[in-house]
Amino acid sequence: MKTFQIVFNCLNGHRIIVSDTFAGQQGKCSKCGTPVIIPDANPLPESEAIDSIGGTPMAVKTTCAFDDGEDNPQRLRDQVVNRLNEPTPFGSIDEPKYAAGGAQEFRPCLRPPTPILTVLDDSSMEHGEDVRIRQETLRIGRTSGDVRIPHDVAISGAHAEIRRTPWQGGFQWHLHDLDSVLGTFVKTDEAVLHEDKIVMLGYRRFRLKHLLTLNGNPDVVDDDFMSSDRISDDVVPVLAEASARPEALRFALRSDRLVIGRMGSGADIEIDDPLLDERHAELKLLQDGSWTITSEGTRNGMWVSISITLLTPHCYFRCGEQRFRFVIP
């Protein structure tokens, strides 16, 4: 009989890989000792597949998944006792069932975990006002929603929403932009750029465009010519500031690798912005013609626009000028 590997996360976000022969059984994370229930090996339906920043979506698993709980409370209690008394089914045979040094920390097994959304203070990525997400959806907006930011004019009336969905015996949380005017952005170290993707570096927003070199002028743009059958071979990709201002910045990408930094840093692309590091981000042309942008270890990071994305157990996003932290304890 052919076997498969099941890949999932514990409550603390550690990746776990086990054989599907253990599906439905109880185990524990080898890194932190958190109890888990190994999910079924059924693949995620195509209708639920969502392109997320930073990799393939994975569920945050609860420690148990039971049925008939509402109709038969006694049966539910029996299932809990039976599951918690089962031996650890994966890992080495000498791996202890109980964590060294005492009892494990409590984790809920009959309900979803309770994520914490932090409305971050302006000068911090750690401190702010905590909101615990116990409902299936939480809406963020300037004039309506569960979390309101009335003094930020860059936030739409109903800007974004966090939604909890069941997935393979556990739960996932996704962030949805609600067609906001200025968009919802997620902090990431790497992203693939295309023309409908906006990347925020410091105070400015940029997008990738393709400009034709017509009559030796790299600043001439002709969308009709671009879409016609007469398209030229001489296409110059451009990193353009997403702004209607006449003085909006535009940088022709004439090399397959370019460093972006603040003014006077010696970077290939220098931007007058105090929020940027000397080497803030790097653009790279891939063999398939697409461009990636990476930014690692910078103080203010890089933020990329999303429509829907998976929220990992510890991540950041922003609406308008308000930054948020999402954590699953």
Side-chain angles (χ1 to χ4, degrees):
M1 179 178 178
K2 187 175 181 180
T3 62
F4 301 89
Q5 288 184 326
I6 300 175
V7 182
F8 65 106
N9 285 359
C10 77
L11 288 173
N12 292 321
H14 300 132
R15 194 180 190 188
I16 300 173
I17 304 176
V18 297
S19 169
D20 66 341
T21 57
F22 298 120
Q25 300 184 46
Q26 185 193 4
K28 67 172 183 172
C29 175
S30 60
K31 293 184 179 179
C32 64
T34 300
V36 296
I37 291 297
I38 302 171
D40 294 334
N42 297 327
L44 181 68
E46 290 185 5
S47 61
E48 296 183 27
I50 297 177
D51 181 28
S52 67
I53 296 174
T56 303
M58 280 193 265
V60 177
K61 300 297 173 182
T62 56
T63 53
C64 322
F66 306 107
D67 55 10
D68 295 335
E70 294 183 0
D71 298 332
N72 194 335
Q74 182 58 48
R75 180 180 176 184
L76 180 59
R77 286 192 290 269
D78 292 342
Q79 286 178 318
V80 173
V81 173
N82 291 337
R83 286 289 181 93
L84 295 180
N85 287 333
E86 289 176 357
T88 301
F90 65 90
S92 61
I93 59 174
D94 58 348
E95 184 176 344
K97 177 179 179 180
Y98 298 101
Q104 298 174 356
E105 292 184 357
F106 168 79
R107 298 290 180 186
C109 79
L110 303 183
R111 61 165 174 80
T114 303
I116 300 174
L117 179 70
T118 303
V119 184
L120 291 168
D121 294 339
D122 292 342
S123 60
S124 175
M125 294 294 283
E126 299 300 326
H127 303 291
E129 180 183 353
D130 289 341
V131 178
R132 284 163 174 80
I133 306 176
R134 297 184 174 93
Q135 63 269 48
E136 290 186 358
T137 62
L138 180 138
R139 178 165 292 192
I140 300 168
R142 189 181 75 255
T143 59
S144 66
D146 306 290
V147 176
R148 301 183 187 183
I149 315 294
H151 66 301
D152 192 333
V153 296
I155 295 180
S156 296
H159 194 105
E161 194 170 71
I162 297 174
R163 302 174 188 172
R164 184 186 74 214
T165 55
W167 190 72
Q168 294 190 358
F171 295 89
Q172 290 180 328
W173 285 261
H174 292 93
L175 176 65
H176 296 247
D177 179 73
L178 300 179
D179 294 325
S180 63
V181 175
L182 296 179
T184 301
F185 291 77
V186 173
K187 188 175 186 290
T188 182
D189 292 335
E190 183 176 10
V192 178
L193 291 180
H194 42 81
E195 292 203 11
D196 61 349
K197 183 77 69 179
I198 297 177
V199 58
M200 188 180 299
L201 302 172
Y203 285 118
R204 300 176 187 266
R205 303 174 182 216
F206 295 91
R207 60 165 22 115
L208 183 68
K209 287 184 174 291
H210 291 88
L211 304 185
L212 286 176
T213 301
L214 301 177
N215 300 323
N217 184 356
D219 292 328
V220 176
V221 183
D222 188 340
D223 292 334
D224 293 334
F225 189 83
M226 284 286 291
S227 60
S228 71
D229 294 332
R230 299 176 295 138
I231 190 167
S232 168
D233 292 332
D234 190 8
V235 177
V236 179
V238 169
L239 186 69
E241 187 176 0
S243 172
R245 295 181 296 108
E247 65 273 20
L249 301 177
R250 295 144 69 96
F251 303 98
L253 307 183
R254 303 185 183 278
S255 175
D256 59 3
R257 189 184 293 265
L258 295 156
V259 174
I260 301 173
R262 68 169 178 254
M263 191 66 69
S265 65
D268 302 300
I269 297 175
E270 294 186 347
I271 301 173
D272 187 9
D273 192 320
L275 298 186
L276 298 185
D277 286 86
E278 291 187 353
R279 294 180 61 89
H280 194 92
E282 184 178 40
L283 288 162
K284 183 179 180 181
L285 177 64
L286 303 183
Q287 291 184 350
D288 63 1
S290 61
W291 286 85
T292 63
I293 184 168
T294 58
S295 178
E296 298 181 6
T298 59
R299 182 169 186 175
N300 293 302
M302 176 178 71
W303 305 75
V304 178
S305 63
I306 59 96
S307 55
I308 304 173
T309 192
L310 173 74
L311 293 174
T312 59
H314 191 287
C315 60
Y316 297 88
F317 66 92
R318 63 183 288 174
C319 303
E321 291 191 312
Q322 181 59 58
R323 298 177 298 181
F324 299 87
R325 182 183 63 180
F326 177 87
V327 174
I328 301 176

